[in-house]
Amino acid sequence: MDTIDLLNLKHWFSNYCRTFYSPDGEDQKNIVLKELHTQQVSSNMRSIAGAVLHNRNKIIIAEAIGLLHDVGRFPQYARYKTFRDSISVNHGKLGAEVIEEENVLGRIPLNEQEVIIEAVRFHNAFAVPDGLDLETTFFLKMVRDADKLDIWRVFAEFYEKGTAERESAVGLGLPDRPEYSDSVLGCLAEKRLATLADLKTLNDFRIMQLTWVYDLNFPVSCRLASERGMIDRIISTLPQTEDIMPALSGLKRHMREKAAS
Ligand SMILES: [Fe+2]
């Protein structure tokens, strides 16, 4: 694919978003949030791909994956009024279906279409699945990093807002109480990913998002995360208790080491 194909895709995407705009203020806030998230993930893909790839065509494919990774969010929200996959639909799978049904990639070579569709399908899987070809796996790892980088931005902003300003679908309806769960903090301390099913409070959600640092694939992603300060902003919204502090220093050490690797 070339820059013209990418321009056409951008045009398709903005028209597609517009079909989900709503006169309801709350719904509109949630849709616009995802539209902005998409632009940022696409730009993160350009930064990551620019650092790890030296082929212009592949950098364009990376940007296209960023642009399309969350297309499933729009019909998901329209049908279920939530971004919570566990009570609605897997938005990665739904996104792959939208791209195929709408023939969004009709003009580009088949092998490139497949890479893009598979990267969209699995961008939100708990782990990178086995059995994908090397190229798809590489792009998938990039979009998973690019996505996390912007999810941290969305949440750093969300946590700093007052309750009334917060976008309703973002916090997954978790209560903003001072407690956190030992099992979720245990994941951070042991450098393992926490799962959505374990979350009881918004603090658990914050801690879970910090465990994602251990899932970053590329040093450049760690460098971008550090430079942008989003992790520090999320950390500053957590209670600074004695059992949280050691897990946070382990996290910061890991970020420094990975960024320098
Ligand atoms: Fe997503």
Side-chain angles (χ1 to χ4, degrees), residues 69-70 73 91 123 147:
H69 83 287
D70 256 356
R73 285 300 193 189
H91 75 276
H123 82 273
D147 199 14

Side-chain angles (χ1 to χ4, degrees), residues 39-90:
Q39 288 160 8
Q40 299 299 316
V41 172
S42 207
S43 144
N44 290 342
M45 278 299 258
R46 215 170 32 236
S47 307
I48 298 171
V52 299
L53 293 168
H54 302 286
N55 174 314
R56 211 173 136 60
N57 164 261
K58 291 198 192 302
I59 297 174
I60 291 173
I61 293 174
E63 199 174 336
I65 293 170
L67 185 70
L68 296 177
H69 83 287
D70 256 356
V71 278
R73 285 300 193 189
F74 300 91
Q76 175 186 43
Y77 189 81
R79 280 178 220 164
Y80 303 98
K81 296 278 188 250
T82 182
F83 293 138
R84 200 165 182 163
D85 285 16
S86 62
I87 55 168
S88 57
V89 65
N90 178 332

Side-chain angles (χ1 to χ4, degrees), residues 97-108:
E97 285 163 12
V98 168
I99 297 169
E100 286 175 320
E101 277 160 20
E102 306 250 339
N103 195 25
V104 181
L105 301 173
R107 277 173 39 97
I108 74 165

Side-chain angles (χ1 to χ4, degrees), residues 1-211:
M1 72 181 289
D2 56 27
T3 44
I4 302 290
D5 296 322
L6 184 62
L7 270 180
N8 285 333
L9 272 188
K10 286 183 179 170
H11 188 64
W12 175 84
F13 180 76
S14 60
N15 284 334
Y16 185 70
C17 285
R18 224 165 292 152
T19 64
F20 293 93
Y21 283 1
S22 164
D24 178 278
E26 199 52 50
D27 292 344
Q28 185 64 9
K29 250 203 302 194
N30 286 314
I31 292 296
V32 167
L33 177 113
K34 285 296 171 195
E35 193 173 1
L36 180 66
H37 166 67
T38 291
Q39 288 160 8
Q40 299 299 316
V41 172
S42 207
S43 144
N44 290 342
M45 278 299 258
R46 215 170 32 236
S47 307
I48 298 171
V52 299
L53 293 168
H54 302 286
N55 174 314
R56 211 173 136 60
N57 164 261
K58 291 198 192 302
I59 297 174
I60 291 173
I61 293 174
E63 199 174 336
I65 293 170
L67 185 70
L68 296 177
H69 83 287
D70 256 356
V71 278
R73 285 300 193 189
F74 300 91
Q76 175 186 43
Y77 189 81
R79 280 178 220 164
Y80 303 98
K81 296 278 188 250
T82 182
F83 293 138
R84 200 165 182 163
D85 285 16
S86 62
I87 55 168
S88 57
V89 65
N90 178 332
H91 75 276
K93 189 165 171 277
L94 181 59
E97 285 163 12
V98 168
I99 297 169
E100 286 175 320
E101 277 160 20
E102 306 250 339
N103 195 25
V104 181
L105 301 173
R107 277 173 39 97
I108 74 165
L110 258 184
N111 60 324
E112 296 181 359
Q113 291 190 30
E114 275 167 25
V115 168
I116 295 172
I117 291 171
E118 294 314 283
V120 170
R121 191 187 313 279
F122 295 115
H123 82 273
N124 59 328
F126 184 68
V128 174
D130 294 327
L132 297 174
D133 65 73
L134 274 180
E135 177 144 278
T136 305
T137 302
F138 195 77
F139 281 103
L140 179 56
K141 285 181 171 175
M142 273 195 274
V143 73
R144 289 167 67 90
D145 281 13
D147 199 14
K148 288 183 179 77
L149 284 173
D150 194 60
I151 294 175
W152 287 320
R153 175 195 62 84
V154 170
F155 278 95
E157 290 172 7
F158 176 81
Y159 296 137
E160 288 163 1
K161 281 178 191 164
T163 330
E165 290 168 275
R166 290 179 176 172
E167 300 84 354
S168 58
V170 173
L172 305 185
L174 293 162
D176 196 1
R177 297 198 308 253
E179 305 97 78
Y180 47 86
S181 305
D182 290 343
S183 61
V184 182
L185 181 59
C187 290
L188 186 67
E190 291 160 24
K191 310 183 190 314
R192 288 187 285 118
L193 291 182
T195 55
L196 277 172
D198 294 331
L199 310 184
K200 295 192 178 59
T201 65
L202 210 55
N203 275 334
D204 289 344
F205 202 12
R206 294 176 172 105
I207 297 171
M208 182 192 78
Q209 286 157 357
L210 296 179
T211 69

